[in-house]
């Protein structure tokens, strides 16, 4: 019985990798198409495509650790988690000005496809 579950798990993980690869290729083709059009929104057939740009902070663990002198605060983070850092900043446990040099802002483009 367990062998069948392991076999099914393996098959699904393999399929997942194949699907993720295909999705990445399709995503890149759609992004390229929109880029050529110079558009962030397009209607293609019965689908609406929208590109959403976001900025994400990518922290340098060592710089952040060296900046946060309170070991209790670092323990709350344990490993740099941008969502946790943002929460602690919003709660004024960490001052934004104090950690500004510990991250780089990365712009990412999200792809949204909806059926109309």
């Amino acid at each position: 019985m367990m062998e069948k579950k392991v076999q099914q798990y393996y098959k699904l993980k393999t399929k997942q990798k194949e699907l993720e690869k295909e999705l990445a290729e399709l995503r890149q083709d759609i992004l390229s198409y929109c880029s050529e059009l110079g558009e962030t929104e397009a209607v293609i057939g019965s689908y609406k495509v929208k590109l959403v740009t976001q900025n994400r902070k990518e922290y340098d663990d060592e710089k952040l650790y060296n900046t946060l002198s309170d070991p209790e605060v670092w323990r709350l983070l344990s490993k740099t988690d941008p969502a946790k850092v943002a929460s602690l900043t919003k709660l004024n446990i960490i001052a934004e000005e104090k950690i500004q040099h510990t991250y780089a802002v990365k712009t990412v483009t999200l792809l949204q496809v909806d059926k109309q």
Side-chain angles (χ1 to χ4, degrees), residues 97-108:
E97 304 78 43
K98 187 176 181 181
I99 63 168
Q100 278 181 323
H101 69 287
T102 67
Y103 61 83
V105 176
K106 177 182 175 185
T107 301
V108 294

Side-chain angles (χ1 to χ4, degrees), residues 75-113:
R75 265 189 231 114
L76 290 172
L77 293 170
S78 144
K79 179 179 182 246
T80 305
D81 177 341
K84 286 182 184 177
V85 175
S87 294
L88 292 172
T89 304
K90 282 184 183 171
L91 294 170
N92 291 322
I93 294 172
I94 298 174
E96 176 71 33
E97 304 78 43
K98 187 176 181 181
I99 63 168
Q100 278 181 323
H101 69 287
T102 67
Y103 61 83
V105 176
K106 177 182 175 185
T107 301
V108 294
T109 301
L110 305 178
L111 172 63
Q112 297 175 346
V113 177

